Structures are given as C-alpha cells and as structure tokens.
C-alpha cells in the first residue's frame, strides 16, 4: 500500500509539472485496462514535455474541485511577467541555473469557496519547460514578457472563480502562503491550459454577464462560464458567452460540499482523495474516447468440473509479467457481470473459471477489471461495464441428445427433486427423433425410487441419463430401457429403484441424455 506521503508528493508534482506530465501518463492509456499500469509504483519521471498532450476531454468540475487547495471568487488586480527559480534540490531538477518563465496574476479575494487565506492571492501560470530547456534568469524574464503579450485578456474586468493549487512541495524554490499554482501554457503550440479557452483544465471561470446570464455579485444566482471552445483564441468573448454553459454559484458551493462529505465519509486520507480524482479522470477518458465494445468468443466442452479455466481477459500478459516481477504489489480487482455471471467467477491475474459443470448452450458475461488505486473509493465508470463481452459456447460430446441444469430441492411431499416451479430443471424441453418435442415435467427421488415424468413418456428408448456432479463425475446413470412405468395422477411416470438417496437439497448437478453406448466425457 502506498503511504500518504506518496500521494501528497504525487499531488504536488502533478500540479507543477502540469500538462507535460499529464501527457506522459495519458499517452499510455489507450483503453481502460491500461489503468492497471497506472496503479503500479511509478518509476522516477522527468518533468517534460513541450509536445501537445493527448486530449481526453476537459477536466470535470469534480476533478477541478478535488485537485484544488483553494477555490476563490475573485477580481483581477494585475498581471505581471515573472520568473520561477526551480529548486536545485528537487528530484526533478538537475541544474542550479534553471528558471521558468511565468505569469503572475494578483487577485482580490471576494469569497473563499474552498480553503482560506488573506484578502489577496497570487496565481502563477507557468510556461512549458523540459530538462533540455535550461533557461537563465535573464532568458526566463525575456520569455515571460513575450508570454504576457500572448495571453487572452477578455475576462480581466469580470469577477471569476479560480481553482488554485498550493505551491509548497513543488519543484519551485520560492514559496509563499498566498501564492498558488494556477496553470500552464504550452506557448509553442498556443495551448492554454487554464482559462475558459482551455480545452483541458479551465481553472478560470469568468462571470457569465452580460445578456442576463449572471445574478448579482455573490448571490446564489450569479453564474460563471464553463466554456465550450477548443483552445482557440480566434473566437470572440461574445461568441463564447453565447455558446458556453454556465454554473451557478450556489451549484458550485453545493458540489464542493458534496465532494467534501464524500471524502469525510471515506477514510479521509490522501489515498482516498487520490482515488476519487483518478475515478473522475477515468470516467472522463471513457466518455471522451468512446472506446468501442468488443466481443470475445470461447468454446469449451460441456460437463467440465467446477473451477475449470474458461478464458482470460485480453491484457493478461502484461498483468502476469508485472506480478511475476513484483509479487507483493496490491492486486487489481476482477469480477463478472451480465446474464450468466453467476455461472463463472474471475480471479487474479485475470482468468475466468466455471462455477459448476455447464450443459450445452451459449453463455454471456461482461468482464470487469480495475486497478488497485480505484478500489478504496469504489470508482468505476458505468460506460465501460459493457465494453468487453465474453460469449462462451458450450459444446456437448457426440451422441448427446439433451443437457440441462438440475438443482434439486426438498419437496412438500418428502421427495427431493426439481420441476417447473421447485428447484432448477433448465432447459426442460428438447427435440427427439420422431417426436417434435419432449418435455421433462419432473425429476425427483422418493421412497427408494428415482421418478421422471416425461411428455411423451416413451420417446427415449435406447438412451440413458447421467447425473453429473460438481467434479464432473457421473453421480448416477439410468437407462430408459430399464425404467418401470407407473400411472400416477392420470400420467405415466418412469421409475428406477435407487435405494440410497442420490442427491441432496441444494446440490448443483447437470443432466445429460445420450444414446446408450454413446461417448461420455
């Protein structure tokens, strides 16, 4: 189990590495099972990259709230060019002469929605940076001045909601209690990762005025733009307002409170918080990428013993390899859903097994897997529940006429068996040669006799019936040519003398009707 310090360190590193590090993480997440990789202890990673990150949809409001140490309703006072000196003692920094171009936004605080502090806060927006891009103080300041001129200033005169992250624990050397990380800009690609124009983070939500979209300052009705544009500076502010959805101040406060209640209802740890963040991210990626469903077909023989391996999920090779190398790592979670999930079960490292011998038929399940990091808060996107469908085709041996489940129960008359209303006898109808259809009405044991009521009663000459137990052994074989016909309640019942009770209430059996002398497995 990774301790709290690991998650706190991960959170701070994520904040200041920004979209660059996110790009590295998301690049390996093409489909949802790759989340298993993300649950493993990370190797030391350099802060990188000036490449545009893979886009997986904008951060949800929940993600922004959970990531933020302070959420503040503000008015902008000033924007200035600045530099950030990277901490030479930080694990990601390998130079004493390393600076980062930055914008510093000074805000007047109108209201803290999350966190607390003074009446003025500073949000620092960082330029892209990589280890190869080692910049002197003079170069950083020059780049920062250029950085200032390229920004969109549409929202400067409006109240706004800003989502801020603490700077302590980062790779930046100059900390201050009212100074926060605010976002980053990949200037080489004109990618803005923090304002309403951002395709990703949108950490600046300006007031939705004019056009009657916003209520009075500080009122529950005051609304703030959520943004709909894809990072383009070409679209006018008026067009953005026209197209953008918005959130009311009261709705935002309510959501902040709900998420805090969820954290408090969990164990309150940084690990639990990180699980919620990861879960919302997973949901976002699933919804944005719309991974196509996949059907996987498997064939097995009927009547195999319980605990027979049926199939494995498609990423078993990676999981095997990792846990051979790291056997003590926390394991992923596996389970099955779908129409026939109860007939199988899943186990690490991703195999599915039979829960009982299966008669001929087609069985369907959805295979579910999630990395360990999602388990503590029970995170799992609904969208992926039906993505990976497994269909198991169960084939009988040659000479088989019919196979069915047979789960007997105690009857009111002292018998032990199953029919259409008590126990399980399914399917109970099948085709026979010379007869369009034969139906098993009842199978039971009573007073030293196994009794079977068939309709018609005489269509199975030359056949026998096997009762197959959990271990696939034949617990009892009866030949239809040896049956005694008994008239009972205006029906003909086939009976065999079996002195010892052959099954108990709750047994899980299957039956196989075969040609006498036919193959049996």
């Amino acid at each position: 189990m990774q301790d709290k310090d690991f998650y706190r360190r991960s959170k701070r590193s994520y904040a200041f590495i920004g979209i660059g590090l996110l790009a590295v993480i998301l690049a390996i997440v093409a489909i949802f099972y790759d989340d298993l990789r993300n649950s493993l202890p990370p190797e030391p990673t350099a802060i990188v990259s000036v490449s545009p990150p893979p886009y997986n949809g904008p951060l949800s409001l929940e993600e922004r709230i959970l990531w933020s140490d302070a959420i503040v309703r503000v008015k902008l006072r000033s924007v200035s060019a600045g530099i950030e000196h990277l901490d030479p003692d930080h694990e990601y920094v390998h130079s004493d002469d390393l600076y980062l171009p930055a914008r510093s936004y000074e805000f007047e605080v109108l209201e803290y929605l999350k966190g607390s502090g003074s009446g003025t806060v500073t949000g620092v927006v960082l330029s892209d940076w990589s280890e190869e891009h080692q910049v002197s103080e003079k170069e950083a300041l020059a780049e920062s001045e250029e950085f200032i001129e390229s920004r969109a200033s549409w929202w400067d005169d409006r109240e706004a909601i800003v989502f801020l992250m603490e700077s302590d624990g980062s790779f930046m050397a100059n900390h201050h209690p009212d100074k926060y990380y605010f976002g980053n800009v990949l200037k080489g690609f004109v990618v803005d990762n923090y304002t309403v124009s951002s395709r990703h983070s949108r950490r600046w939500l300006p007031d939705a005025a004019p056009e009657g979209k916003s209520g009075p300052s500080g009122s529950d009705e005051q609304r703030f733009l959520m943004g709909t544009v894809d990072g383009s500076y070409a679209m006018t502010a008026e067009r953005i307002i026209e197209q953008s959805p918005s959130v009311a101040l009261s709705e935002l406060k309510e959501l902040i409170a709900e998420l805090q209640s969820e954290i408090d209802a969990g164990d309150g740890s940084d690990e639990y918080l990180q699980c919620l963040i990861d879960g919302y991210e997973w949901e976002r990626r699933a919804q944005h990428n719309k991974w196509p469903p996949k059907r996987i077909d498997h064939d097995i023989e009927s009547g195999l013993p319980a605990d027979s391996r049926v199939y494995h999920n498609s990423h078993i090779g990676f999981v095997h390899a990792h846990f051979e190398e790291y056997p003590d790592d926390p394991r992923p979670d596996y389970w099955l859903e779908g129409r026939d999930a109860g007939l199988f079960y899943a186990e690490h490292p991703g195999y599915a097994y039979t829960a009982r011998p299966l008669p001929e038929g087609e069985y369907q399940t959805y295979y579910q897997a999630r990395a360990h990091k999602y388990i503590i808060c029970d995170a799992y996107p609904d969208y992926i529940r039906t993505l990976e469908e497994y269909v198991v085709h169960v084939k009988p041996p040659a000479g088989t006429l019919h196979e069915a489940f047979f789960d007997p129960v105690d009857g009111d008359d002292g018998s032990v068996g199953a029919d259409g209303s008590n126990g399980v006898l399914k399917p109970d109808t099948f085709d026979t040669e010379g007869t369009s259809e034969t139906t098993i009405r009842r199978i039971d044991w009573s007073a030293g006799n196994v009794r079977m009521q068939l309709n018609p009663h005489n269509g199975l000459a030359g056949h026998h019936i096997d009762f197959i137990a959990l271990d696939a052994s034949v617990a009892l074989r009866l030949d239809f040519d040896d049956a005694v016909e008994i008239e009972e309640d205006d029906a003909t019942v086939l009976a065999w003398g079996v002195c010892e009770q052959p099954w108990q209430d709750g047994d899980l059996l299957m039956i196989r009707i075969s040609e006498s002398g036919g193959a049996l497995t």
Side-chain angles (χ1 to χ4, degrees), residues 259-445:
L259 290 171
Q260 187 58 54
S261 296
E262 188 172 1
I263 294 169
D264 294 341
D267 62 6
S269 66
D270 283 355
E271 183 185 17
Y272 192 88
L273 171 61
Q274 188 65 41
C275 180
L276 290 177
I277 293 170
D278 291 337
Y280 281 111
E281 179 195 353
W282 193 7
E283 178 78 42
R284 167 171 54 86
R285 288 187 285 108
Q287 290 295 334
H288 175 76
N289 290 292
K290 299 297 182 187
W291 296 311
K294 177 171 57 173
R295 169 171 165 153
I296 302 97
D297 292 88
H298 287 271
D299 294 336
I300 64 171
E301 297 176 357
S302 67
L304 294 179
D307 306 319
S308 295
R309 185 183 296 175
V310 181
Y311 60 80
H312 58 74
N313 74 309
S314 56
H315 291 255
I316 191 69
F318 165 77
V319 179
H320 258 313
H322 174 82
F323 282 96
E324 284 181 3
E325 187 173 358
Y326 304 101
D328 297 328
D329 276 0
R331 293 183 174 186
D333 193 15
Y334 306 95
W335 72 98
L336 303 175
E337 296 178 1
R339 183 188 68 208
D340 301 311
L343 302 176
F344 305 88
Y345 64 92
E347 282 193 354
H348 178 78
Y351 289 111
Y353 300 86
T354 58
R356 59 180 297 175
L358 299 177
E360 176 185 11
E362 185 175 283
Y363 302 89
Q364 178 265 354
T365 64
Y366 291 105
Y367 198 99
Q368 314 295 356
R370 63 178 169 185
H372 180 265
K373 67 178 181 177
Y374 300 113
I375 295 174
I376 185 175
C377 64
D378 196 27
Y380 202 70
D382 285 337
Y383 175 77
I384 67 172
R385 289 191 178 276
T386 56
L387 279 188
E388 194 151 296
E389 179 184 24
Y390 284 80
V391 178
V392 180
H393 307 272
V394 178
K395 313 274 187 185
T400 298
L401 179 62
H402 180 60
E403 292 183 330
F405 293 105
F406 175 56
D407 298 348
V409 296
D410 288 337
D412 294 336
D413 59 356
S415 65
V416 185
D419 55 27
S421 58
N422 292 299
V424 175
L425 186 55
K426 180 182 178 180
D428 59 3
T429 299
F430 55 97
D431 294 330
T432 53
E433 186 177 347
T435 304
S436 60
E437 195 174 78
T438 295
T439 300
I440 304 173
R441 300 292 188 192
R442 185 181 78 242
I443 301 175
D444 62 30
W445 181 89

Side-chain angles (χ1 to χ4, degrees), residues 442-496:
R442 185 181 78 242
I443 301 175
D444 62 30
W445 181 89
S446 179
N449 285 290
V450 170
R451 304 179 303 179
M452 179 181 298
Q453 184 179 341
L454 289 169
N455 183 27
H457 74 278
N458 57 355
L460 295 178
H463 291 76
H464 61 263
I465 182 170
D466 290 324
F467 296 83
I468 299 174
L470 275 176
D471 62 0
S473 63
V474 177
L476 177 67
R477 170 174 288 184
L478 301 173
D479 196 307
F480 285 98
D481 291 340
D482 296 334
V484 175
E485 295 184 4
I486 300 173
E487 295 301 320
E488 199 174 87
D489 298 328
D490 298 325
T492 300
V493 176
L494 304 181
W496 295 263

Side-chain angles (χ1 to χ4, degrees), residues 74-88:
V74 298
K75 281 284 289 184
L76 179 65
R77 282 185 175 178
S78 64
V79 185
S80 59
I83 58 174
E84 293 295 333
H85 184 199
L86 304 184
D87 184 353

Side-chain angles (χ1 to χ4, degrees), residues 85-89 93-99 134-135:
H85 184 199
L86 304 184
D87 184 353
D89 296 325
V93 178
H94 306 292
S95 171
D96 292 338
D97 186 28
L98 199 54
Y99 296 85
Q134 299 191 3
V135 183

